[in-house]
Protein backbone atom coordinates (compact mmCIF):
# COMPACT_ATOMS: atom_id res chain seq x y z
CA UNK A 1 0.00 0.00 0.00
CA UNK A 2 2.76 2.44 0.93
CA UNK A 3 4.67 1.71 -2.27
CA UNK A 4 1.52 2.29 -4.31
CA UNK A 5 0.90 5.58 -2.53
CA UNK A 6 4.50 6.64 -3.09
CA UNK A 7 4.17 5.83 -6.79
CA UNK A 8 1.07 8.01 -6.98
CA UNK A 9 2.88 10.86 -5.26
CA UNK A 10 5.95 10.89 -7.49
CA UNK A 11 4.38 9.92 -10.81
CA UNK A 12 4.11 12.85 -13.20
CA UNK A 13 0.53 13.11 -14.45
CA UNK A 14 -0.57 14.71 -17.72
CA UNK A 15 -1.83 18.26 -17.53
CA UNK A 16 -5.56 18.88 -17.97
CA UNK A 17 -6.67 20.70 -21.07
CA UNK A 18 -6.60 24.49 -21.05
CA UNK A 19 -10.41 24.45 -21.08
CA UNK A 20 -10.49 22.53 -17.78
CA UNK A 21 -7.82 24.77 -16.25
CA UNK A 22 -9.80 27.89 -17.13
CA UNK A 23 -13.04 26.26 -15.98
CA UNK A 24 -11.39 25.62 -12.61
CA UNK A 25 -10.33 29.27 -12.53
CA UNK A 26 -13.91 30.35 -13.24
CA UNK A 27 -15.34 28.15 -10.48
CA UNK A 28 -12.72 29.45 -8.05
CA UNK A 29 -13.60 33.03 -9.01
CA UNK A 30 -17.26 32.24 -8.33
CA UNK A 31 -16.25 30.92 -4.89
CA UNK A 32 -14.34 34.13 -4.11
CA UNK A 33 -16.34 36.84 -5.87
CA UNK A 34 -20.02 36.85 -4.79
CA UNK A 35 -20.32 37.96 -1.17
CA UNK A 36 -22.92 35.35 -0.24
CA UNK A 37 -20.69 32.53 -1.49
CA UNK A 38 -17.54 34.11 -0.05
CA UNK A 39 -19.06 34.01 3.43
CA UNK A 40 -19.14 30.22 3.12
CA UNK A 41 -15.74 29.71 1.48
CA UNK A 42 -13.66 32.35 3.22
CA UNK A 43 -13.10 30.04 6.19
CA UNK A 44 -10.71 27.93 4.12
CA UNK A 45 -8.55 31.02 3.52
CA UNK A 46 -8.76 31.84 7.22
CA UNK A 47 -7.30 28.42 8.05
CA UNK A 48 -4.30 29.20 5.83
CA UNK A 49 -4.04 32.74 7.25
CA UNK A 50 -3.98 31.65 10.88
CA UNK A 51 -1.75 28.68 10.06
CA UNK A 52 0.77 31.12 8.62
CA UNK A 53 0.76 33.18 11.81
CA UNK A 54 1.21 30.04 13.88
CA UNK A 55 4.06 28.58 11.82
CA UNK A 56 6.10 31.76 11.73
CA UNK A 57 5.50 32.34 15.45
CA UNK A 58 6.97 28.92 16.25
CA UNK A 59 9.88 29.35 13.81
CA UNK A 60 10.73 32.75 15.30
CA UNK A 61 10.88 31.37 18.83
CA UNK A 62 7.51 32.56 20.12
CA UNK A 63 5.26 30.22 22.10
CA UNK A 64 2.02 29.30 20.39
CA UNK A 65 -0.95 29.37 22.79
CA UNK A 66 -3.66 28.37 20.33
CA UNK A 67 -5.72 29.12 17.25
CA UNK A 68 -9.41 29.99 17.14
CA UNK A 69 -11.53 29.84 13.97
CA UNK A 70 -14.95 31.46 14.15
CA UNK A 71 -18.20 30.90 12.28
CA UNK A 72 -18.04 34.40 10.78
CA UNK A 73 -14.82 33.24 9.00
CA UNK A 74 -12.58 35.35 11.24
CA UNK A 75 -9.73 33.83 13.20
CA UNK A 76 -7.25 34.53 15.96
CA UNK A 77 -3.79 33.14 16.70
CA UNK A 78 -2.52 33.65 20.24
CA UNK A 79 1.23 33.64 20.90
CA UNK A 80 3.44 34.53 23.83
CA UNK A 81 6.83 36.19 23.79
CA UNK A 82 8.37 39.61 23.35
CA UNK A 83 5.74 42.15 22.27
CA UNK A 84 8.23 43.73 19.88
CA UNK A 85 11.14 42.65 17.73
CA UNK A 86 11.60 40.70 14.48
CA UNK A 87 9.74 37.63 15.72
CA UNK A 88 6.58 39.61 16.34
CA UNK A 89 6.95 41.51 13.06
CA UNK A 90 7.27 38.36 10.96
CA UNK A 91 4.43 36.69 12.86
CA UNK A 92 2.10 39.61 12.10
CA UNK A 93 3.32 39.74 8.50
CA UNK A 94 2.71 36.07 7.76
CA UNK A 95 -1.08 35.89 7.83
CA UNK A 96 -2.06 37.75 4.68
CA UNK A 97 0.78 36.38 2.56
CA UNK A 98 0.36 32.69 3.46
CA UNK A 99 -2.67 31.84 1.24
CA UNK A 100 -0.87 33.34 -1.76
CA UNK A 101 2.36 31.53 -0.89
CA UNK A 102 0.50 28.23 -0.62
CA UNK A 103 -1.19 28.92 -3.94
CA UNK A 104 2.15 29.69 -5.54
CA UNK A 105 3.68 26.49 -4.18
CA UNK A 106 0.66 24.54 -5.38
CA UNK A 107 0.96 26.10 -8.85
CA UNK A 108 4.58 24.95 -9.00
CA UNK A 109 3.55 21.37 -8.16
CA UNK A 110 0.78 21.39 -10.74
CA UNK A 111 3.12 22.81 -13.36
CA UNK A 112 5.32 19.80 -12.61
CA UNK A 113 2.38 17.42 -13.08
CA UNK A 114 2.01 16.36 -9.43
CA UNK A 115 -1.56 17.07 -8.26
CA UNK A 116 -1.57 14.05 -5.91
CA UNK A 117 1.51 15.39 -4.11
CA UNK A 118 -0.26 18.74 -3.83
CA UNK A 119 -3.36 17.21 -2.23
CA UNK A 120 -1.47 14.98 0.20
CA UNK A 121 0.92 17.77 1.12
CA UNK A 122 -2.04 20.05 1.88
CA UNK A 123 -3.76 17.35 3.91
CA UNK A 124 -0.65 16.59 5.98
CA UNK A 125 -0.25 20.26 6.92
CA UNK A 126 -3.71 20.41 8.47
CA UNK A 127 -3.09 18.13 11.51
CA UNK A 128 -0.37 20.56 12.58
CA UNK A 129 -3.04 23.25 12.71
CA UNK A 130 -5.68 20.95 14.21
CA UNK A 131 -3.71 20.20 17.37
CA UNK A 132 -3.51 23.92 18.14
CA UNK A 133 -7.16 24.83 17.49
CA UNK A 134 -8.96 25.71 20.71
CA UNK A 135 -12.64 25.92 19.77
CA UNK A 136 -15.21 23.43 18.49
CA UNK A 137 -16.10 25.26 15.28
CA UNK A 138 -12.42 25.54 14.39
CA UNK A 139 -11.84 21.82 14.97
CA UNK A 140 -14.82 20.92 12.79
CA UNK A 141 -13.65 23.29 10.04
CA UNK A 142 -10.21 21.71 9.88
CA UNK A 143 -11.60 18.17 10.03
CA UNK A 144 -14.02 18.86 7.18
CA UNK A 145 -11.20 20.31 5.08
CA UNK A 146 -9.02 17.27 5.79
CA UNK A 147 -11.90 14.97 4.88
CA UNK A 148 -12.47 16.66 1.54
CA UNK A 149 -8.78 16.49 0.63
CA UNK A 150 -8.52 12.85 1.71
CA UNK A 151 -11.61 11.80 -0.23
CA UNK A 152 -10.37 13.41 -3.44
CA UNK A 153 -6.77 12.24 -3.09
CA UNK A 154 -7.65 8.65 -2.10
CA UNK A 155 -10.80 7.88 -4.08
CA UNK A 156 -10.60 10.32 -6.97
CA UNK A 157 -9.21 9.37 -10.35
CA UNK A 158 -6.16 11.12 -11.75
CA UNK A 159 -8.41 13.42 -13.77
CA UNK A 160 -10.53 14.30 -10.72
CA UNK A 161 -7.42 14.97 -8.63
CA UNK A 162 -5.97 17.15 -11.36
CA UNK A 163 -9.07 19.30 -11.78
CA UNK A 164 -9.58 19.58 -8.01
CA UNK A 165 -5.92 20.53 -7.57
CA UNK A 166 -6.28 23.36 -10.08
CA UNK A 167 -9.49 24.49 -8.41
CA UNK A 168 -7.78 24.53 -5.01
CA UNK A 169 -4.77 26.49 -6.23
CA UNK A 170 -6.83 29.04 -8.15
CA UNK A 171 -8.96 29.47 -5.02
CA UNK A 172 -5.89 30.14 -2.85
CA UNK A 173 -4.42 32.58 -5.36
CA UNK A 174 -7.67 34.49 -5.81
CA UNK A 175 -8.57 34.12 -2.14
CA UNK A 176 -5.31 35.78 -1.20
CA UNK A 177 -6.38 39.00 -2.93
CA UNK A 178 -9.91 39.69 -1.71
CA UNK A 179 -9.15 39.76 2.06
CA UNK A 180 -6.72 42.62 1.51
CA UNK A 181 -9.49 44.80 0.10
CA UNK A 182 -11.72 43.76 2.98
CA UNK A 183 -8.97 44.66 5.42
CA UNK A 184 -8.63 48.18 4.07
CA UNK A 185 -12.41 48.66 3.97
CA UNK A 186 -12.62 47.73 7.66
CA UNK A 187 -9.68 50.00 8.50
CA UNK A 188 -11.30 52.89 6.66
CA UNK A 189 -14.44 52.46 8.78
CA UNK A 190 -12.38 52.23 11.97
CA UNK A 191 -13.45 48.63 12.60
CA UNK A 192 -9.99 47.02 12.61
CA UNK A 193 -7.74 48.91 15.03
CA UNK A 194 -5.79 45.75 15.84
CA UNK A 195 -5.53 44.38 12.32
CA UNK A 196 -2.27 42.84 11.12
CA UNK A 197 -1.47 46.02 9.19
CA UNK A 198 -2.02 48.21 12.25
CA UNK A 199 0.01 45.91 14.47
CA UNK A 200 2.83 46.12 11.94
CA UNK A 201 2.48 49.90 11.88
CA UNK A 202 2.95 50.06 15.65
CA UNK A 203 5.86 47.61 15.54
CA UNK A 204 7.74 49.21 12.64
CA UNK A 205 6.46 52.82 12.53
CA UNK A 206 5.63 52.24 8.87
CA UNK A 207 2.04 53.39 8.16
CA UNK A 208 -0.59 50.69 8.09
CA UNK A 209 -1.66 51.70 4.58
CA UNK A 210 1.84 50.88 3.34
CA UNK A 211 1.51 47.37 4.80
CA UNK A 212 -1.89 46.98 3.15
CA UNK A 213 -0.27 47.99 -0.12
CA UNK A 214 2.46 45.40 0.42
CA UNK A 215 -0.13 42.68 1.11
CA UNK A 216 -1.98 43.61 -2.09
CA UNK A 217 1.17 43.76 -4.22
CA UNK A 218 2.28 40.37 -2.93
CA UNK A 219 -1.12 38.75 -3.50
CA UNK A 220 -1.54 40.15 -7.01
CA UNK A 221 2.05 39.23 -7.90
CA UNK A 222 1.49 35.65 -6.71
CA UNK A 223 -1.76 35.47 -8.68
CA UNK A 224 -0.07 36.65 -11.88
CA UNK A 225 2.95 34.38 -11.51
CA UNK A 226 0.97 31.37 -10.32
CA UNK A 227 -1.60 31.91 -13.05
CA UNK A 228 1.14 31.86 -15.69
CA UNK A 229 2.43 28.56 -14.33
CA UNK A 230 -1.05 27.07 -14.38
CA UNK A 231 -2.03 28.01 -17.93
CA UNK A 232 1.30 27.42 -19.73
Amino acid sequence: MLSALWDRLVTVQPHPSLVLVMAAAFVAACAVGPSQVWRLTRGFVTIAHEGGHALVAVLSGRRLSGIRLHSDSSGLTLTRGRPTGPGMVFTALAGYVTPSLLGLGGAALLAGGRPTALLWGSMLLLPCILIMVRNVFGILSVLVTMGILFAVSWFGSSDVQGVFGYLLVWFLLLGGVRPVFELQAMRRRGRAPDSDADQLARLTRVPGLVWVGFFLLFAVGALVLGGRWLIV
Side-chain angles (χ1 to χ4, degrees):
M1 181 179 294
L2 290 177
S3 61
L5 175 59
W6 178 253
D7 289 340
R8 293 178 67 184
L9 290 175
V10 300
T11 299
V12 176
Q13 301 175 20
H15 296 283
S17 67
L18 181 60
V19 173
L20 286 177
V21 172
M22 298 311 297
F26 175 77
V27 174
C30 291
V32 171
S35 296
Q36 292 181 339
V37 179
W38 178 238
R39 292 192 192 101
L40 301 175
T41 61
R42 193 184 192 279
F44 298 109
V45 175
T46 302
I47 292 174
H49 180 113
E50 300 303 330
H53 281 313
L55 175 62
V56 174
V58 172
L59 292 177
S60 63
R62 299 183 63 80
R63 287 193 289 177
L64 183 61
S65 300
I67 299 171
R68 300 183 70 87
L69 303 169
H70 304 130
S71 58
D72 63 355
S73 76
S74 65
L76 178 66
T77 299
L78 300 172
T79 66
R80 289 183 291 174
R82 289 184 56 193
T84 59
M88 189 62 199
V89 171
F90 285 114
T91 297
L93 180 64
Y96 279 97
V97 304
T98 296
S100 297
L101 274 177
L102 291 174
L104 203 56
L109 285 173
L110 292 177
R114 291 183 169 83
T116 304
L118 164 67
L119 296 176
W120 277 90
S122 302
M123 187 174 62
L124 293 176
L125 288 174
L126 289 171
C128 300
I129 298 176
L130 181 63
I131 61 176
M132 293 307 302
V133 175
R134 296 292 183 261
N135 64 321
V136 173
F137 181 84
I139 291 172
L140 291 175
S141 298
V142 177
L143 287 175
V144 168
T145 305
M146 290 174 60
I148 293 171
L149 291 171
F150 175 78
V152 174
S153 60
W154 190 257
F155 299 108
S157 65
S158 296
D159 291 338
V160 170
Q161 291 177 24
V163 173
F164 186 84
Y166 277 85
L167 175 61
L168 173 62
V169 170
W170 278 119
F171 176 75
L172 287 170
L173 291 171
L174 292 167
V177 177
R178 177 162 181 170
V180 182
F181 287 100
E182 294 176 335
L183 167 65
Q184 182 54 27
M186 292 179 66
R187 293 182 71 249
R188 188 168 56 247
R189 294 193 293 266
R191 293 174 54 190
D194 294 318
S195 70
D196 293 353
D198 292 285
Q199 290 184 54
L200 286 165
R202 290 191 289 269
L203 289 165
T204 64
R205 298 185 181 179
V206 175
L209 185 60
V210 174
W211 287 109
V212 174
F214 171 79
F215 293 151
L216 181 60
L217 183 63
F218 188 92
V220 172
L223 174 60
V224 172
L225 179 58
R228 288 185 61 186
W229 290 348
L230 292 175
I231 63 178
V232 171

